[in-house]
Amino acid sequence: MVLVFCVICVGCTSSNSSANPSQPVSSSPVPISTATPAVATSIQPAIVTTTLSHGVTISYPGDWQKEITSETSMRDYGRVTTNIANFFSPDISRERTLPVYQNLDISKYTTLSIDVDPNPVTDFENYFNQATLALQNTYGRIVITKHNYQLKISPTDSFEGYRSYQMDFDTDKMRATYIFTNVDGTVYIFAFKNPSPYSAEVMDMYKSISIVPPVSGPVQKSR
C-alpha cells in the first residue's frame, strides 16, 4: 500500500509540472544566450583638428560649425583685437539644458571666438585686470563664478605651457568663460559664451589648443 501511494504521488507531481504554462516541455535542451543585451548609446561626433592663423591649432567636435575670419574691432573686454575664428555648437537641446543650474543665458547655442591682440603686451597681469574692468563696464555688472590664474595653455613634453588667466562669469543675460593667454608678449583671447550645457566639450577644446608663435616673434617664453 505504501508503494502504491508513492507511485500515485509521483504521478500527481509530474502531471502538475506538465500543466504549468510557464514551464513548457521540450524534448531538447534550451540554449542559454551569452550575448550582452543591446544598450542604446548616443553616437559621439568625430573630433576635427584645424590649424588657424597666428599659429593656433585646436580640436573641436565635428558637429560644431567653424567660421574663419580676419576682422579687427573693439571687443567687450576693452581691447581692439583681430578675430581669427569662431565656432558654434549645435542647438542646445532640452536634455542638455535641464542639468544646468540657474543659467539665465537663453542663447540657443554655445560659441567660441578666438582673438589675437596685435599690440605687444609687457604687463600681462595689468592687461587682465583692465579687461575685467572693461567687461564690468560693458555689461553693467559681472559675477565671477570661477577663476584660474595657474592655467597653462599649449603645454608640451618639454614646455609647461603659456601663462593664462581663466575667468568664468555671469552677466544679467549671459554666461561666459574667457581665457587670456600670453604668448611671448602677444595675448590670445578664447571667449566661450553660454558654455555650461557644453561644458565637457568646452574643456576638451581649450585643452587641445596648441600655439606655435611666428618665428619672427620674441623667443623668450612667458611663464
Side-chain angles (χ1 to χ4, degrees), residues 144-179:
I144 299 175
T145 57
K146 179 182 177 181
H147 58 74
N148 184 354
Y149 298 153
Q150 285 76 46
L151 180 65
K152 301 292 185 179
I153 290 292
S154 187
T156 66
D157 292 339
S158 58
F159 174 53
E160 64 179 356
Y162 293 105
R163 182 183 178 189
S164 302
Y165 290 155
Q166 174 187 342
M167 182 173 66
D168 297 4
F169 64 93
D170 287 348
T171 71
D172 290 337
K173 297 181 180 180
M174 184 181 76
R175 174 159 290 179
T177 293
Y178 280 29
I179 298 171

Side-chain angles (χ1 to χ4, degrees), residues 28-177:
S28 59
V30 178
I32 300 175
S33 175
T34 59
T36 303
V39 178
T41 58
S42 58
I43 300 176
Q44 298 298 319
I47 301 300
V48 178
T49 300
T50 185
T51 299
L52 309 171
S53 64
H54 295 78
V56 177
T57 299
I58 187 171
S59 299
Y60 64 98
D63 57 353
W64 286 48
Q65 295 182 13
K66 178 183 69 174
E67 176 188 43
I68 302 298
T69 65
S70 181
E71 178 264 333
T72 301
S73 63
M74 176 66 71
R75 306 300 173 192
D76 57 356
Y77 47 84
R79 303 288 296 199
V80 175
T81 59
T82 301
N83 176 237
I84 63 172
N86 299 306
F87 297 85
F88 307 92
S89 77
D91 286 350
I92 298 171
S93 65
R94 176 176 174 82
E95 289 73 20
R96 280 187 179 268
T97 302
L98 289 177
V100 179
Y101 178 68
Q102 292 183 351
N103 189 351
L104 299 177
D105 195 330
I106 59 174
S107 301
K108 294 183 178 179
Y109 47 83
T110 296
T111 64
L112 163 63
S113 64
I114 302 177
D115 303 335
V116 180
D117 196 322
N119 299 309
V121 174
T122 57
D123 190 339
F124 182 48
E125 184 174 352
N126 181 65
Y127 185 102
F128 176 75
N129 290 336
Q130 293 300 319
T132 302
L133 291 174
L135 287 168
Q136 290 175 339
N137 292 332
T138 298
Y139 296 108
R141 76 180 187 97
I142 62 173
V143 177
I144 299 175
T145 57
K146 179 182 177 181
H147 58 74
N148 184 354
Y149 298 153
Q150 285 76 46
L151 180 65
K152 301 292 185 179
I153 290 292
S154 187
T156 66
D157 292 339
S158 58
F159 174 53
E160 64 179 356
Y162 293 105
R163 182 183 178 189
S164 302
Y165 290 155
Q166 174 187 342
M167 182 173 66
D168 297 4
F169 64 93
D170 287 348
T171 71
D172 290 337
K173 297 181 180 180
M174 184 181 76
R175 174 159 290 179
T177 293

Side-chain angles (χ1 to χ4, degrees), residues 2-12:
V2 173
L3 178 61
V4 172
F5 178 76
C6 292
V7 171
I8 293 174
C9 290
V10 171
C12 292

